[in-house]
Amino acid sequence: AKRGGGPQLTSAIKECRGLGELARILQEQKGFFNHIHVSAAWVCLARIGRGRGGSEATMVLNALQDQTREVLDQMSEREIANVLYSMAKLHGRKVAPKEGRADRQLLEAMQRGGAGGAG
């Protein structure tokens, strides 16, 4: 993935085929992630994280939760819904986010109508 974020980073995230690849992108591109990249990374993790636990999955989950908190107030309802869906899918696969803190924050943001909401 090229440095600098943007559509190239979104494409690189969507094309990930394994946890190692997603972990590398999260680490190398950390400063360039925006709300779109975070949402795409959650969807990617739900797709590739089938039943995979362990330290690599935990590291990716923790990094994504941190990134999510940083951009949560910029997320649209669709992006929030994608993240919640991905978390639910991961939870069903026993790759559960830590303590559900991000879940509560996401649900509260959804109730407010996302970043573009009126309330």
Side-chain angles (χ1 to χ4, degrees):
K2 294 181 179 177
R3 291 202 170 273
Q8 298 88 357
L9 180 53
T10 307
S11 294
I13 292 166
K14 289 180 179 181
E15 292 167 7
C16 279
R17 297 289 173 247
L19 281 174
E21 192 176 354
L22 183 57
R24 181 184 53 75
I25 289 173
L26 283 166
Q27 182 61 38
E28 291 177 1
Q29 303 291 325
K30 186 177 181 176
F32 297 103
F33 264 58
N34 64 26
H35 53 101
I36 296 167
H37 303 128
V38 169
S39 177
W42 276 107
V43 171
C44 176
L45 180 59
R47 178 175 48 81
I48 65 177
R50 294 185 191 111
R52 296 185 178 146
S55 60
E56 194 169 48
T58 301
M59 189 282 295
V60 170
L61 277 169
N62 290 343
L64 269 179
Q65 285 186 288
D66 291 343
Q67 292 279 1
T68 302
R69 278 190 285 277
E70 289 179 24
V71 300
L72 185 56
D73 59 348
Q74 301 161 24
M75 293 181 113
S76 69
E77 290 176 342
R78 180 178 180 174
E79 291 158 350
I80 292 167
N82 284 342
V83 174
L84 288 170
Y85 173 78
S86 298
M87 285 180 167
K89 199 169 177 183
L90 288 165
H91 185 74
R93 292 180 178 158
K94 309 299 184 223
V95 183
K98 60 182 178 184
E99 302 298 317
R101 288 182 305 211
D103 301 53
R104 278 195 305 279
Q105 289 175 314
L106 285 161
L107 288 170
E108 289 169 5
M110 188 67 121
Q111 288 175 334
R112 290 191 307 269

